[in-house]
Amino acid sequence: MSLPPSTPGMHHVSVVTGTTADTYGFYTEILGLRLVKRTVNYDDQFMHHLYFGDERGRPGTLLTCFPFERGTEGRVGRPQPTATALSVPRASVEYWAERLADYDVDREERFGEPVLRFTDGAGQPLELVGSEPVGEPWTGGSVPREHAIRGLHSVTLASASPFQTASVLDALGFELDAQEGDRVRYRTGETVPGSVVDVLDSILPFGREGVGTGHHVAFRFDDEDTLAAWHDVFVEDGLSPSRVRDRQYFHSLYVREPGGILVELATDGPGLTADESVDSLGGALRLPPWLEPDREMITAQLPPLTDDGETER
Ligand code: ZN
């Protein structure tokens, strides 16, 4: 059977973080990412959904956060995305080690590339990988252009069934690239941010979703027709995909793969500039049309972006 068109790489990684103010502060001020969309969790409109990324919020650069104001700490384990890696120029790794000095950085070498491992202060596992970056740095942030993060590098998946997770990745367009220790690397071979996924070939203890854990990983696809075709493939394979949903900035299909990890297939369009200009991305709270009538109530319940009470960037 021929499969629908494959993915060039990740669209975004979504994680559960600490408070809104801590999340906004860390990802913009420390990591120097741009807040490119401030909206709410469409499944719980009294929670933020903050998107961080490059200047335009391009697919492949997006790390999206669900801040839990009084959330319980989660536990990293299977089946989860267990670390999100961002790409920086190899020559900038020392700059970052110094910049992150207060964040308990662990260093390692992985597939020949230097890796800095740390958390966001609320337990979210993050990595910076020194490589040949393919994305564009954002020039408006708190980090000098030469050192700025260039988008996603990879995500690490702790599966309950690494072999089955690998076969789903293979179907979606990833190929086995290399293995080092218990880490198996898959690549799409495309020169785009986020074209690498690592699957741990070991069974971690069970995790628990909460503050400091990964939530899902999304892969890029062209259009809704492609998502619909993948929907049918998943059904034929005995999986239970969601219907294709309108997420305002992309269309999405969710499926829990047999290894237990929540995977999303998302379209590139219409993109984060669908409802605000590049200059004003992330500036004001954006709500989908069906929540717009409740804006006043929602705004009153949402926590401010900063500890100083700012509600707009
Ligand atoms: Zn998502």
Side-chain angles (χ1 to χ4, degrees):
M1 186 185 66
S2 69
L3 291 169
S6 59
T7 183
M10 285 188 280
H11 187 286
H12 61 270
V13 178
S14 292
V15 301
V16 181
T17 53
T19 67
T20 293
D22 287 350
T23 301
Y24 177 72
F26 182 82
Y27 291 89
T28 61
E29 284 158 31
I30 305 296
L31 291 189
L33 297 173
R34 185 177 190 194
L35 176 68
V36 285
K37 192 64 67 184
R38 179 179 173 223
T39 184
V40 295
N41 181 343
Y42 290 178
D43 302 317
D44 178 355
Q45 67 266 41
F46 300 121
M47 282 178 57
H48 271 121
H49 190 187
L50 303 178
Y51 290 60
F52 300 95
D54 73 354
E55 184 188 10
R56 307 181 68 91
R58 275 177 274 244
T61 72
L62 298 170
L63 177 56
T64 93
C65 298
F66 296 110
F68 274 30
E69 298 309 309
R70 287 169 293 277
T72 332
E73 210 176 299
R75 189 172 55 231
V76 175
R78 78 178 142 102
Q80 284 172 1
T82 55
T84 306
L86 301 159
S87 185
V88 297
R90 188 183 270 263
S92 299
V93 168
E94 293 314 313
Y95 166 88
W96 279 101
E98 212 164 291
R99 187 178 177 93
L100 294 166
D102 292 342
Y103 289 86
D104 259 345
V105 175
D106 278 333
R107 307 176 75 128
E108 66 175 63
E109 178 101 357
R110 190 184 288 166
F111 300 104
E113 292 172 333
V115 179
L116 302 178
R117 300 169 54 214
F118 54 98
T119 78
D120 65 356
Q124 184 59 237
L126 298 168
E127 298 169 341
L128 292 181
V129 180
S131 59
E132 296 296 319
V134 289
E136 289 293 315
W138 182 38
T139 55
S142 59
V143 174
R145 178 193 160 87
E146 58 189 304
H147 301 307
I149 287 171
R150 313 298 175 92
L152 295 170
H153 175 277
S154 53
V155 68
T156 300
L157 304 179
S159 169
S161 174
F163 177 76
Q164 284 178 294
T165 299
S167 81
V168 170
L169 287 173
D170 179 69
L172 292 176
F174 285 84
E175 285 181 24
L176 176 65
D177 179 57
Q179 176 158 10
E180 197 175 85
D182 68 348
R183 183 176 289 273
V184 187
R185 177 153 288 190
Y186 297 85
R187 284 181 187 276
T188 63
E190 301 286 333
T191 311
V192 294
S195 61
V196 175
V197 172
D198 288 349
V199 178
L200 297 179
D201 186 24
S202 56
I203 303 294
L204 261 55
F206 280 112
R208 187 183 60 229
E209 190 178 300
V211 172
T213 60
H215 192 268
H216 65 267
V217 54
F219 297 107
R220 299 171 58 185
F221 290 88
D222 281 344
D223 50 36
E224 291 172 68
D225 288 347
T226 309
L227 300 193
W230 276 108
H231 177 276
D232 294 347
V233 170
F234 295 140
V235 170
E236 268 176 50
D237 284 351
L239 302 178
S240 306
S242 71
R243 62 185 169 80
V244 174
R245 295 189 191 155
D246 181 358
R247 295 316 220 182
Q248 289 301 104
Y249 311 110
F250 37 87
H251 281 78
S252 287
L253 167 73
Y254 300 84
V255 65
R256 201 166 285 282
E257 54 85 29
I261 291 160
L262 185 60
V263 167
E264 177 181 353
L265 281 64
T267 58
D268 274 6
L272 295 191
T273 49
D275 62 356
E276 49 190 349
S277 68
V278 172
D279 285 351
S280 56
L281 279 178
L285 179 70
R286 293 286 158 179
L287 295 173
W290 65 89
L291 292 177
E292 207 47 75
D294 298 328
R295 175 176 281 271
E296 215 177 318
M297 177 178 62
I298 292 170
T299 311
Q301 310 248 0
L302 285 174
L305 268 185
T306 68
D307 288 327
D308 299 338
E310 285 173 66
T311 54
E312 299 208 350
R313 182 173 57 80

